[in-house]
Amino acid sequence: MKTLKNYFSKSHLLIAFSILFLGKLCVAQNHPFPLENARWMNKHRSYYLDQNGQPVYTTNWIDKYCANGNDTTINAIPYKQLDFCSTVPATYHGALRYDSGQVYFVPKDSLNESLLYDFTLNTGDVTNVILQDNSGTNPGYYMYPVTIGQVDIIVVNGTPRRRLNTEGYDWIEGIGCTSGLFMEPWINVSNYFRELICMSVNDTTHCLNQFPLEIGQVGACQLTLNIEDNSQNYVDLKVLPNPTFGNILIEKNEGVKIAEVNLVNALGASVKRYTGDIEEIEIIGDPGIYFLEIITSEGSKSVIKVLKQ
C-alpha cells in the first residue's frame, strides 16, 4: 500500500507540474515595447463607393517611423529617440520610453511626456492617451479617452501576448496598435482610415497589413516601399489650434495652393465645402470629431482630424 500510495503521489505531482507548465505556455509573457531597431509603417487610405456600391480605395501616403536606439534625456529622464524615416535623411520625431507595460511619448519641440499605450489595462478601464493628428514632419497632438472593451491573448512570433481592444482597433503588447504606431482609436466612418501595414524588430517582421504573424517573417519592413497609387502625393499640412473652439488656420508648405476644403463630421456627412486658396475656416457644428479633406491645386489630398471643444 505504501508503494501504491507513493506511486499515486508521484503521479499526481507529475500531473500538477504538467498542468503548471502548460498553463505558463498559455499566459502572455512580458514583451517590452521595442525602443531600438524597430520600424512601424502606417498606411493612410481613403475610399468612395462606385455606382455598384463597391468601395474603391486610394492609398494617400505611407508614414514610416524608426526607433533608432539613440539615447536622449528630457527633464532628467532617459528616453530613446524616434525618427520620422519617410524623409531622407530621417528627421527626429520625438522620444519614447517604456516602464512596466506603459509607453510614453514626448513630441519633438516639447518637454512634456504623455501616455501612448498602457498594456496593463483590463476590460472596462478608461485612460487618456496621446493621439497624433495629421502626419509628416509637423503633426499636431491631443489627448483622447480610450475605453478597453476586451482583453485576450494572441500568439505573435511564437509567444503569447496581451491584446487589448480599443473601440475598434487592437493594442498588441510589444507591437503597438493595428491602426499604426500613433493609433486611430475608433473605426473611422468618414471615408478615411489608417492601418499598420508593417512592423518589425531587428530582422524579423511581426505584423503585416494589420495582422500579427504567429510565426515571424524574416526581414525588416522595407523603408523603400511606395504607395500603390501615386495620383495623390503627400503634402505637409497642419491646422491650428487643434483642439479648437471654432476657427482654425491652415498651415502649408511654401508654393502649395489649396483648391478645396471639405468639412466632414464623424458620421461621414459633409457639413460645409470651401473653395479657393483659403487659410482660415470655421468648424460649424456641435463639439466633437471632424475631418478636413484638403485638396490642393495639383490634386493632392490630405485628411486632418480636428477636435472641436
Side-chain angles (χ1 to χ4, degrees):
M1 289 294 294
K2 183 176 181 181
T3 302
L4 185 62
K5 181 178 180 181
N6 288 341
Y7 170 77
F8 278 115
S9 298
K10 291 179 180 179
S11 298
H12 292 162
L13 187 60
L14 179 61
I15 293 173
F17 276 119
S18 299
I19 293 174
L20 180 61
F21 176 74
L22 292 174
K24 286 185 177 181
L25 290 180
C26 298
V27 175
Q29 302 173 13
N30 178 30
H31 287 274
F33 200 76
L35 301 180
E36 57 183 277
N37 297 324
R39 298 175 177 180
W40 295 263
M41 301 181 69
N42 300 356
K43 179 189 290 185
H44 297 248
R45 307 180 74 188
S46 58
Y47 69 94
Y48 67 90
L49 300 180
D50 63 18
Q51 58 184 2
N52 298 318
Q54 298 299 315
V56 178
Y57 295 96
T58 298
T59 297
N60 300 321
W61 65 82
I62 295 175
D63 280 341
K64 306 162 191 177
Y65 301 96
C66 301
N68 58 36
N70 294 335
D71 296 323
T72 187
T73 301
I74 303 174
N75 295 328
I77 300 174
Y79 293 85
K80 294 291 186 179
Q81 292 183 2
L82 178 74
D83 286 342
F84 181 70
C85 43
S86 293
T87 58
V88 180
T91 56
Y92 175 69
H93 194 74
L96 293 168
R97 75 177 180 94
Y98 175 82
D99 184 9
S100 303
Q102 296 176 318
V103 184
Y104 296 91
F105 177 69
V106 180
K108 69 172 186 177
D109 303 324
S110 174
L111 297 177
N112 301 317
E113 75 168 15
S114 298
L115 184 66
L116 181 62
Y117 296 107
D118 187 348
F119 296 103
T120 69
L121 298 175
N122 296 302
T123 301
D125 288 346
V126 181
T127 191
N128 290 321
V129 296
I130 188 171
L131 300 185
Q132 179 175 293
D133 183 41
N134 199 17
S135 60
T137 56
N138 293 299
Y141 299 93
Y142 62 95
M143 301 302 294
Y144 180 82
V146 170
T147 302
I148 304 302
Q150 181 180 353
V151 179
D152 61 8
I153 303 298
I154 186 172
V155 175
V156 181
N157 197 21
T159 57
R161 310 182 186 205
R162 297 192 89 217
R163 176 171 60 181
L164 294 73
N165 184 265
T166 61
E167 306 175 40
Y169 291 105
D170 294 328
W171 290 356
I172 301 175
E173 190 178 31
I175 290 180
C177 184
T178 55
S179 73
L181 175 61
F182 297 99
M183 59 171 287
E184 192 90 15
W186 52 81
I187 296 178
N188 197 293
V189 293
S190 64
N191 294 15
Y192 155 79
F193 62 98
R194 56 178 144 171
E195 56 191 349
L196 180 66
I197 59 169
C198 189
M199 187 272 172
S200 64
V201 181
N202 296 318
D203 60 350
T204 303
T205 296
H206 295 291
C207 189
L208 280 176
N209 298 320
Q210 290 190 313
F211 292 103
L213 302 178
E214 185 172 349
I215 300 177
Q217 180 173 303
V218 176
C221 298
Q222 296 298 312
L223 296 179
T224 57
L225 179 66
N226 295 318
I227 63 175
E228 299 89 344
D229 184 354
N230 291 317
S231 63
Q232 295 185 14
N233 299 318
Y234 167 75
V235 177
D236 194 5
L237 297 171
K238 185 178 181 180
V239 298
L240 295 172
N242 191 10
T244 179
F245 290 102
N247 293 335
I248 59 174
L249 297 175
I250 301 176
E251 289 189 352
K252 56 188 179 180
N253 294 341
E254 184 177 355
V256 174
K257 292 186 178 181
I258 295 175
E260 181 179 315
V261 178
N262 185 24
L263 176 63
V264 179
N265 63 23
L267 298 178
S270 178
V271 176
K272 187 174 178 60
R273 192 177 299 273
Y274 301 84
T275 59
D277 191 22
I278 58 177
E279 297 181 351
E280 181 177 2
I281 69 169
E282 179 183 1
I283 304 298
I284 301 172
D286 297 328
I289 297 293
Y290 292 85
F291 298 88
L292 293 181
E293 298 176 346
I294 304 176
I295 301 175
T296 70
S297 58
E298 296 181 348
S300 300
K301 177 179 178 181
S302 295
V303 181
I304 303 176
K305 187 186 304 92
V306 179
L307 175 63
K308 182 178 181 181
Q309 297 178 325

